[in-house]
Amino acid sequence: MSLFPQRVFSGVQPTGNLHLGNYLGAISRFVALQQTHDCIYCVVDLHAITVPQKPSELVANIREVTAAFIACGVDPKSHIIFNQSQVAEHAELAWIFNCVARMGWLNRMTQFKEKAGKDRENASVGLYAYPTLMAADILVYRATHVPVGEDQKQHLELARDIAQKFNNDFSESIATAGYGEAFFPLPEPLIQGPATRVMSLRDGSKKMSKSDPSDNSRINLSDDADTIAQKVRRAKTDPDVLPSETPGLAGRPEADNLVGIYAALAEGSKADVLREFGGANFSSFKGALVDLAVAKLGPIGADMRRLQADPGYIDTVLREGSVRARAIAAQNMKAVKEVIGFIS
Ligand code: TRP
């Protein structure tokens, strides 16, 4: 797919309580990719309403994700930050993709089955069609690379299937319109491996989650230094000292998680961490982790709080980002319409 210029697209849902897992698993990756790619980062508010949202919370959560992008180091001038609902082409292309994707493909999506649960009859049509909108998000920019977590791999494969079927179904018309053999690239997932999966601070076998009722189970990106320190010190551990090599973490999920968090924040490996802290007890290791976490996350939290205190600024970033995103999306949408046989 070298025919297509490289472009990164990814989206984050505005569902509140952004935490360390979102940072290490996604946003820090988005920041790094800015060095090598043109990047478009989207607050996917249209995806959020596939389940009920309170309007006053939704608007705050859209601003929270935007603030987090900026506070973590995404540059809204060199790259693009915007919210999905301001660029109508996402929904427009999603409709077309609803007519490309097959029922059988969507019926296989495990996330829908999980989210809809037992009461599938009562799930929104939007929740079912969610993956076609996600495909549209990516392909309306003809993006080539998509940083996502493991849980989104199946949706990315569906996006590739949609791109491929569109390219095949309309191959003649694509060629006639002068787009060569393929209109859409087959977007590649950049999967963040399990190494940076962050688990709950209260239970090393559960993922750190926005919906865990215990706030002590997660480090929120908006937490201040004292709160971060307190949560790390209260994190569940076991009675042993740290091992000096990684196999010694087996069967010790809480120890493994804290070492993993340290490694990710220090941008090193678990082996590096254990080389330094093997034999240490948890109270001294936690002291070092507090220092590191506060040094890395303290400024992010402070920046987020500062940005969130100025919603006018955040809204301006989103509006300006939307204008630039729309310019790309509109051009591609015009081509899609021509290829399909619409008049515009
Ligand atoms: N479904 C993704 C998630 O829940 C969010 C998302 C929506 C996305 N559209 C996207 C991610 C496009 C990557 C590309 O995490």
Side-chain angles (χ1 to χ4, degrees):
M1 284 292 119
S2 52
L3 294 172
F4 293 90
Q6 295 205 350
R7 173 177 282 149
V8 163
F9 182 95
S10 197
V12 172
Q13 285 210 45
T15 44
N17 284 342
L18 281 178
H19 54 70
L20 183 62
N22 302 109
Y23 176 65
L24 294 175
I27 304 176
S28 67
R29 195 85 181 292
F30 296 1
V31 173
L33 283 163
Q34 296 181 107
Q35 305 299 322
T36 48
H37 292 75
D38 285 331
C39 303
I40 304 178
Y41 296 127
C42 183
V43 185
V44 290
D45 48 14
L46 296 177
H47 277 98
I49 63 162
T50 55
V51 296
Q53 300 288 339
K54 269 209 187 106
S56 60
E57 287 174 12
L58 180 60
V59 71
N61 291 339
I62 294 168
R63 292 187 182 126
E64 184 196 20
V65 176
T66 311
F69 281 166
I70 301 169
C72 293
V74 177
D75 176 0
K77 292 270 184 257
S78 318
H79 300 270
I80 295 177
I81 299 176
F82 76 108
N83 62 312
Q84 194 182 22
S85 61
Q86 290 204 64
V87 179
E89 284 78 3
H90 289 246
E92 198 177 2
L93 185 59
W95 177 258
I96 289 167
F97 285 173
N98 281 341
C99 303
V100 173
R102 307 289 90 186
M103 294 283 287
W105 300 0
L106 285 169
N107 286 340
R108 285 196 287 275
M109 295 295 115
T110 55
Q111 186 170 292
F112 173 74
K113 291 178 199 169
E114 275 161 30
K115 286 200 181 172
K118 286 202 176 63
D119 196 6
R120 206 175 287 182
E121 294 285 308
N122 197 34
S124 73
V125 174
L127 189 66
Y128 181 74
Y130 180 113
T132 61
L133 177 59
M134 182 165 158
D137 296 339
I138 299 163
L139 293 169
V140 83
Y141 303 100
R142 299 209 276 177
T144 54
H145 293 84
V146 184
V148 281
E150 197 82 49
D151 64 323
Q152 295 299 311
K153 207 172 152 192
Q154 195 184 31
H155 289 161
L156 232 332
E157 279 159 15
L158 186 90
R160 292 167 65 90
D161 290 343
I162 290 175
Q164 179 102 62
K165 182 161 162 55
F166 183 96
N167 289 341
N168 289 343
D169 289 355
F170 298 102
S171 61
E172 258 176 56
S173 154
I174 288 169
T176 311
Y179 296 103
E181 298 210 333
F183 182 75
F184 288 121
L186 305 187
E188 286 183 31
L190 302 171
I191 303 275
Q192 186 75 306
T196 46
R197 221 164 81 170
V198 180
M199 312 307 278
S200 158
L201 298 180
R202 309 299 307 167
D203 176 351
S205 66
K206 279 200 323 212
K207 253 171 85 166
M208 187 175 283
S209 160
K210 64 172 193 310
S211 47
D212 193 312
S214 163
D215 196 56
N216 282 323
S217 70
R218 64 184 160 260
I219 297 176
N220 297 306
L221 287 185
S222 54
D223 283 345
D224 61 22
D226 286 346
T227 311
I228 295 172
Q230 226 174 58
K231 287 178 176 175
V232 171
R233 291 215 185 86
R234 287 188 190 156
K236 188 175 169 199
T237 51
D238 58 38
D240 292 336
V241 298
L242 283 175
S244 10
E245 287 175 1
T246 49
L249 292 170
R252 299 178 63 186
E254 284 82 18
D256 188 36
N257 187 36
L258 293 182
V259 169
I261 290 173
Y262 191 104
L265 287 172
E267 296 174 47
S269 67
K270 288 184 193 175
D272 295 336
V273 178
L274 295 180
R275 219 168 288 128
E276 191 177 343
F277 291 99
N281 59 32
F282 275 105
S283 71
S284 70
F285 177 64
K286 279 180 169 180
L289 182 55
V290 166
D291 291 345
L292 178 62
V294 167
K296 287 268 173 173
L297 303 174
I300 293 177
D303 246 13
M304 275 185 71
R305 287 189 298 278
R306 184 179 56 75
L307 288 161
Q308 284 176 284
D310 187 357
Y313 169 74
I314 294 184
D315 295 0
T316 303
V317 167
L318 291 174
R319 204 173 312 114
E320 290 176 0
S322 303
V323 170
R324 289 163 55 217
R326 197 181 305 127
I328 305 168
Q331 200 185 358
N332 287 331
M333 201 57 220
K334 192 172 187 315
V336 166
K337 287 182 173 176
E338 182 189 356
V339 162
I340 291 183
F342 289 161
I343 296 169
S344 62

